[in-house]
Amino acid sequence: MKHTPLYQAHVDAGGKMVDFGGWEMPLNYGSQIEEHHQVRTDVGMFDVSHMTVVDFKGIEAKAFLQTLIANDVDKLKTEGKALYSCMLNETGGVVDDLIVYYLNEQDYRMVINAGTTEKDIAWINAQADGFDVSVEPKFDLAMIAVQGPNAREKVFAAMSGVEEVAGELKPFNAASLGGLFIARTGYTGEDGFEIMLPEKSAEFTWKMLLEAGVKPCGLGARDTLRLEAGMSLYGSEMNDEVSPLEAALTWTIDLTNEDRNFVGRNALEALRDEGVKKTIVGLILEGKGVIRDHQKVVTSVGDGEVTSGSFSPTMGKAIALARVPMGATGSCEIEMRNKLVSAKIVKPPFVRNGKVLV
Amino acid sequence: MSEVRDDRQYTETHEWILDNGDGTYTMGVTDHAQALLGDMVFVELPGAGDEASQEDEFCVVESVKAASGVYAPADLEVVEANEELDGEPELVNSSCYDDGWLVKFKADGIEGLMSAEDYADTLD
């Protein structure tokens, strides 16, 4: 099993370690729910070093990314600006979702998912054939996500010099400081930073953050936080066979520049012209119980399926994301353990910046 | 290490059963089971007077992570369900052998349970 540079720190902190796509990672450090509330009300940190940073350099770096991903990197004009996108296969399915950061026209940084890294890098290398671009996975970088309303204050207290370079950063922007790359991004619906740093500095930085009062949080809380925030998860809301048009990710696709012939564009346009039949909605269970992945959803316009179901610690109710026929609204029923139970269809996100929105 | 108490018996499906000595039994899930399931968010219990046959799934404990059925260890009639769990399902995590009990039931004896020692051996 693979370990991040923070493995020992997790074990020392009582982390309950589980196999997460070949990585031994902390599910929680005692209580997933306490960790969840910690992030919503104060600040928590996650080891996300298993995710992979890939740098793209060269005179055709930009031209390459314009064909590789479905969003348009031409939107990125200032150093550190970030863009969320999917990279698609020829049939318009999602190879992975990612964030790309602009450094300059010949230098971009991308963060891809852990479980898809091998597949992604093979895919990227295959697409890069014929472009003057170097594709450089940075396996020696660790990544710590510090999230919560007090994340900025605590990061500035723990890490000297960061406030000077990142104090004025707007959301979805990043700054460099020595070997650190500090992005005001996250996956919880709260403010915070994702900090990329050399693996040798990871344990020291983790300890400094601990001393500043940032509590470690595991993958369990990360999942309920992202679900409340209505954010898509690769492998759940999207995969190689699902179009972003059917994953509520239409906003991440840019078809404006007709000359930009990115991989999957033809398939996307064909699906759009023929009519998109499914989308992702939010569900709130009316009664008691917990919604689980893959449960059947019965709506007035046809059946769908839960893509991510769990319990919302912030709302004290079961919530879910589900792929349902386009046009499903109002109430629906979920098949739970051979019973049909009532749920309400809502528009995600459920929670943002500590507030319940549905 | 999971706690296993000597004063009660156990099932392969990680329930504990305490003989109250008056024809009634108290039942819950073990420390091992609650740790495995994680934060409990909902417990679905039968009502007093409900009957269940041996091996019926007659309670459900749901954590953030998973739903888990609780099985009747004998043909039984429920005497009392732990109503505290309605508002505080987390008692199953914090006190699985005491305040976090699930149901009390009547039965004409129970067979085929494991001793504390045998159950502890299965956890190694």
Side-chain angles (χ1 to χ4, degrees):
Chain A
M1 202 112 63
K2 288 182 278 191
H3 291 162
T4 75
L6 292 164
Y7 172 77
Q8 196 54 47
H10 300 316
V11 173
D12 293 347
K16 186 175 167 191
M17 308 304 286
V18 295
D19 179 355
F20 183 74
W23 291 84
E24 198 171 1
M25 298 295 290
L27 182 64
N28 61 60
Y29 300 83
S31 167
Q32 169 176 346
I33 288 183
E34 277 172 29
E35 290 160 24
H36 181 107
H37 291 314
Q38 178 72 29
V39 173
R40 284 274 176 258
T41 58
D42 185 4
V43 56
M45 61 179 162
F46 305 85
D47 176 12
V48 285
S49 306
H50 54 312
M51 295 179 77
T52 304
V53 175
V54 187
D55 286 347
F56 297 82
K57 293 180 182 165
I59 52 169
E60 289 188 309
K62 180 177 176 182
F64 172 57
L65 290 172
Q66 282 182 312
T67 69
L68 182 72
I69 66 177
N71 213 334
D72 190 348
V73 291
D74 193 41
K75 288 173 184 168
L76 303 176
K77 306 282 192 197
T78 57
E79 189 179 342
K81 182 81 185 120
L83 184 72
Y84 175 70
S85 184
C86 293
M87 60 182 170
L88 308 180
N89 57 31
E90 294 291 353
T91 58
V94 182
V95 178
D96 201 6
D97 67 326
L98 53 93
I99 291 178
V100 59
Y101 299 90
Y102 173 93
L103 299 171
N104 63 55
E105 298 275 323
Q106 298 186 26
D107 192 355
Y108 292 82
R109 168 163 281 189
M110 185 183 280
V111 178
I112 55 177
N113 280 304
T116 49
T117 293
E118 245 173 71
K119 173 187 87 163
D120 289 0
I121 290 176
W123 174 260
I124 291 168
N125 281 326
Q127 308 307 312
D129 198 26
F131 282 93
D132 191 350
V133 60
S134 71
V135 177
E136 303 168 23
K138 311 292 269 189
F139 294 116
D140 56 348
L141 288 185
M143 181 151 50
I144 300 170
V146 187
Q147 302 275 295
N150 298 326
R152 285 160 50 81
E153 180 194 322
K154 291 288 168 69
V155 167
F156 298 153
M159 299 173 70
S160 60
V162 168
E163 186 163 9
E164 284 78 51
V165 301
E168 302 296 322
L169 269 187
K170 294 202 170 61
F172 245 66
N173 280 271
S176 298
L177 174 68
L180 294 176
F181 189 78
I182 305 140
R184 195 168 172 193
T185 52
Y187 199 46
T188 59
E190 298 297 327
D191 198 0
F193 292 120
E194 290 178 308
I195 302 164
M196 290 158 235
L197 67 172
E199 58 184 358
K200 285 186 196 126
S201 326
E203 198 161 359
F204 174 77
T205 303
W206 185 266
K207 279 184 182 152
M208 291 294 103
L209 289 163
L210 273 179
E211 277 177 26
V214 183
K215 300 244 167 62
C217 300
L219 295 174
R222 189 169 163 81
D223 193 53
T224 47
L225 288 159
R226 77 93 196 164
L227 176 58
E228 285 185 351
M231 292 172 177
S232 295
L233 172 66
Y234 191 79
S236 295
E237 281 69 44
M238 58 189 135
N239 61 47
D240 297 278
E241 278 153 24
V242 172
S243 167
L245 298 175
E246 297 191 328
L249 291 170
T250 306
W251 64 277
T252 72
I253 296 162
D254 193 325
L255 299 169
T256 326
N257 177 356
E258 285 173 10
D259 297 331
R260 199 172 70 84
N261 190 22
F262 62 86
V263 181
R265 178 169 188 145
N266 294 343
L268 282 187
E269 288 179 334
L271 178 61
R272 181 197 59 190
D273 295 345
E274 159 194 327
V276 179
K277 294 182 182 61
K278 293 174 185 169
T279 191
I280 294 278
V281 294
L283 303 178
I284 303 175
L285 192 67
E286 305 275 8
K288 289 186 169 183
V290 182
I291 309 172
R292 307 289 177 188
D293 296 3
H294 308 303
Q295 285 172 339
K296 187 162 109 178
V297 181
V298 181
T299 81
S300 59
V301 290
D303 292 351
E305 185 186 359
V306 173
T307 49
S308 295
S310 192
F311 178 79
S312 159
T314 306
M315 297 162 64
K317 290 176 184 171
I319 61 168
L321 295 175
R323 184 169 293 109
V324 297
M326 198 61 94
T329 53
S331 51
C332 67
E333 288 180 306
I334 303 172
E335 193 176 291
M336 290 172 62
R337 295 197 305 275
N338 302 320
K339 277 185 296 194
L340 285 176
V341 294
S342 298
K344 191 165 71 174
I345 297 175
V346 298
K347 189 177 182 314
F350 301 90
V351 181
R352 268 289 157 90
N353 296 318
K355 288 195 187 64
V356 176
L357 303 180
V358 288
Chain B
M1 262 317 283
S2 300
E3 184 190 359
V4 179
R5 293 204 179 163
D6 289 338
D7 60 349
R8 55 199 81 192
Q9 292 179 290
Y10 296 86
T11 67
E12 282 172 9
T13 44
H14 308 289
E15 291 108 0
W16 57 259
I17 290 107
L18 180 66
D19 187 343
N20 298 321
D22 57 358
T24 73
Y25 299 82
T26 305
M27 155 166 204
V29 298
T30 67
D31 188 36
H32 174 78
Q34 72 76 22
L36 215 62
L37 286 162
D39 292 296
M40 226 43 91
V41 291
F42 173 55
V43 180
E44 186 181 315
L45 298 176
D50 285 1
E51 293 184 354
S53 302
Q54 187 169 8
E55 295 183 3
D56 281 358
E57 178 182 301
F58 80 124
C59 315
V60 180
V61 289
E62 291 215 38
S63 68
V64 179
K65 205 165 109 192
S68 182
V70 175
Y71 300 90
D75 294 346
L76 58 84
E77 181 188 331
V78 176
V79 176
E80 187 185 350
N82 186 355
E83 286 173 10
E84 295 290 317
L85 298 180
D86 223 21
E88 271 186 280
E90 60 272 22
L91 286 173
V92 174
N93 294 118
S94 59
S95 180
C96 68
Y97 291 120
D98 297 306
D99 299 339
W101 60 276
L102 300 179
V103 290
K104 293 182 181 173
F105 61 85
K106 278 194 295 206
D108 299 329
I110 301 179
E111 285 170 5
L113 296 180
M114 278 184 276
S115 67
E117 197 181 342
D118 289 346
Y119 177 65
D121 284 346
T122 68
L123 302 181
D124 290 342

